[in-house]
Amino acid sequence: MFDVQDVTLDPLDTYKFFNKGKFVKEFMSASHYARHPTTGDSYNYVFMTGFDKGLFTGVEPGYEMIRVTEDDTGRAVGKVVGYIPSSLKDIRIIHSLGVTENYVILPRLSLRADLNSTTHVCSNIVFDDKAPTYMHVMSIKDGSFQTFEFPPFISVHIVNSFERENEKGETEIVVDYPTLTTMDGFNHDRCYYEILNIEYMLSDKFSYLKDFKPLTDVTIRRFVMNLATGKGEVIDHPQLWKPKILHVDFPFVNDNFRGKPFCIVYFHTIQWDNKNAMGILKLDLCKQTSVGWDDLNLFPVEPIFVPRPGGTEEDDGVLMTPVYDARRDGSELYIWDARDLKVIAKLSSPVRVPWTNHGIWLPQD
């Protein structure tokens, strides 16, 4: 982790939160920290193991959950929340995780890391349709955790997570994910990330049906975990978009509702079978309604929601994202009304901004 200069983004300092000795290896964390809804503390994990598998080092393979806070000087400080053991034969790639008021959720979906090669990273990524999904719910207070097992699912970006009480007064943890509807059709002998190489996509070898069809059938799924009974269930939200064969990912919610009960989520969409046409999508998971935006030869990035100052409604604000215009090989910053996805402003950019995965809004204060 780096501290960076806020204008040039040059690295200023490197943080190593824990020093467990040269015989302990830390080698994986989530790409996205999860922000606590009240304190603003950040949560992540570090997968670590002793080279002796804990025999002398005392460090068994597993996920060490950490909370990142600031000290009086503004320097980041890491504190251990708890530890979740895991076999080296079942390391999952966890891209994002969830945090609620009292719990951090470590989702071990069915994207597995096999330590096969030190030079060809892609060969270490396995879509395993036989690996159950595990959701670990850890208490922020004392590090104790419960594990819930579900069928195999593939996803990388969490929508949101929150706590609620059911009609019996039992605490439930709710996590939403855009998942592939089915894992049927995957060719497990090839790496799906490798086919995103631009040279391959422009070559005669590229085929939508062969390469991308398994990625275009998406279902938003809700994982509900009852902490009192230890039981969990999966609820499928209805597919509210058209065409239904659409890659739906990069969810973004109003930050004021992150980690809390919510209804509205915004997505980036791709039509792999229509020359990678892109758009944005608004879903109301409570009212089961949707609104979409797309335009010919325009390619938006992940939509970023910015709440209106003083606004209280969940969709009271704007969406912003760079949009690449293939017709003129240039980019503009588009601003939409977050309620109906009508374009309300376009700001020209002096440079072409290629398509990127993620963005962030930082208020001036």
Side-chain angles (χ1 to χ4, degrees):
M1 180 178 175
F2 294 94
D3 192 5
V4 297
Q5 208 280 338
D6 59 358
V7 176
T8 65
L9 301 184
D10 292 331
L12 300 178
D13 200 356
T14 302
Y15 293 110
K16 185 174 177 63
F17 295 122
F18 313 109
N19 184 8
K20 296 181 180 293
K22 62 182 179 180
F23 297 108
V24 176
K25 180 66 176 176
E26 305 172 5
F27 62 90
M28 191 165 60
S29 296
S31 298
H32 302 274
Y33 276 73
R35 189 64 58 85
H36 190 275
T38 302
T39 66
D41 293 343
S42 295
Y43 288 80
N44 207 331
Y45 73 89
V46 175
F47 191 93
M48 60 175 55
T49 182
F51 288 126
D52 58 359
K53 298 183 180 181
L55 185 61
F56 296 106
T57 61
V59 179
E60 298 182 6
Y63 301 86
E64 186 159 71
M65 306 301 300
I66 59 173
R67 176 174 63 251
V68 181
T69 60
E70 288 185 349
D71 62 18
D72 294 338
T73 67
R75 180 179 173 82
V77 177
K79 299 181 179 180
V80 176
V81 179
Y83 198 79
I84 299 173
S86 173
S87 168
L88 287 174
K89 297 180 179 179
D90 192 23
I91 303 174
R92 307 295 178 90
I93 298 174
I94 303 169
H95 191 71
S96 59
L97 58 159
V99 174
T100 67
E101 188 65 33
N102 299 293
Y103 300 92
V104 57
I105 300 99
L106 184 75
R108 295 173 61 212
L109 289 99
S110 306
L111 187 61
R112 191 163 48 78
D114 275 356
L115 307 181
N116 297 318
S117 173
T118 57
T119 58
H120 189 245
V121 176
C122 202
S123 65
N124 296 325
I125 302 173
V126 178
F127 292 87
D128 191 343
D129 58 1
K130 296 181 175 57
T133 292
Y134 297 107
M135 294 277 181
H136 304 288
V137 180
M138 176 176 287
S139 167
I140 291 174
K141 182 178 180 180
D142 60 19
S144 60
F145 68 92
Q146 291 179 247
T147 299
F148 297 83
E149 181 175 334
F150 300 97
F153 290 113
I154 289 292
S155 185
V156 289
H157 295 113
I158 190 172
V159 174
N160 202 4
S161 57
F162 60 91
E163 302 170 28
R164 71 182 184 190
E165 283 193 359
N166 62 19
E167 63 279 0
K168 297 180 180 179
E170 299 165 336
T171 299
E172 295 178 334
I173 303 298
V174 179
V175 181
D176 287 329
Y177 266 101
T179 68
L180 300 185
T181 301
T182 176
M183 293 179 67
D184 295 340
F186 272 96
N187 180 351
H188 297 283
D189 295 328
R190 59 197 311 240
C191 177
Y192 276 84
Y193 291 102
E194 201 164 55
I195 62 177
L196 296 175
N197 179 287
I198 188 65
E199 287 79 12
Y200 176 81
M201 295 182 70
L202 294 175
S203 72
D204 294 335
K205 297 179 181 179
F206 175 79
S207 166
Y208 159 73
L209 289 176
K210 173 170 63 73
D211 292 323
F212 282 120
K213 193 173 188 301
L215 304 177
T216 55
D217 189 2
V218 176
T219 297
I220 313 300
R221 288 192 162 106
R222 172 159 289 185
F223 298 81
V224 181
M225 292 155 281
N226 188 309
L227 300 185
T229 65
K231 296 181 179 180
E233 64 173 331
V234 180
I235 302 170
D236 289 1
H237 291 289
Q239 287 184 318
L240 302 171
W241 53 86
K242 291 182 179 179
K244 287 197 171 183
I245 301 303
L246 195 66
H247 183 74
V248 177
D249 201 356
F250 304 106
F252 206 98
V253 302
N254 184 334
D255 273 335
N256 294 325
F257 289 79
R258 197 173 298 278
K260 303 174 183 178
F262 77 110
C263 291
I264 295 170
V265 55
Y266 301 91
F267 288 98
H268 179 270
T269 64
I270 306 176
Q271 295 184 51
W272 293 115
D273 59 340
N274 188 21
K275 299 186 183 299
N276 297 345
M278 297 181 183
I280 59 176
L281 175 69
K282 173 189 178 182
L283 296 183
D284 188 322
L285 300 178
C286 300
K287 296 180 180 178
Q288 297 189 0
T289 59
S290 68
V291 180
W293 177 93
D294 61 73
D295 204 346
L296 190 64
N297 295 313
L298 296 180
F299 299 88
V301 185
E302 171 190 48
I304 306 299
F305 179 86
V306 181
R308 181 179 65 84
T312 57
E313 298 298 322
E314 195 172 348
D315 58 355
D316 188 0
V318 297
L319 292 181
M320 299 194 303
T321 190
V323 175
Y324 172 69
D325 188 338
R327 296 166 296 190
R328 61 180 186 86
D329 193 29
S331 300
E332 293 178 302
L333 178 69
Y334 271 57
I335 302 176
W336 295 265
D337 188 321
R339 294 168 294 185
D340 54 19
L341 298 192
K342 290 182 178 179
V343 178
I344 57 178
K346 302 176 188 177
L347 303 177
S348 61
S349 170
V351 297
R352 178 175 63 88
V353 181
W355 188 84
T356 57
N357 287 342
H358 297 296
I360 189 173
W361 162 263
L362 296 174
Q364 189 173 13
D365 56 359

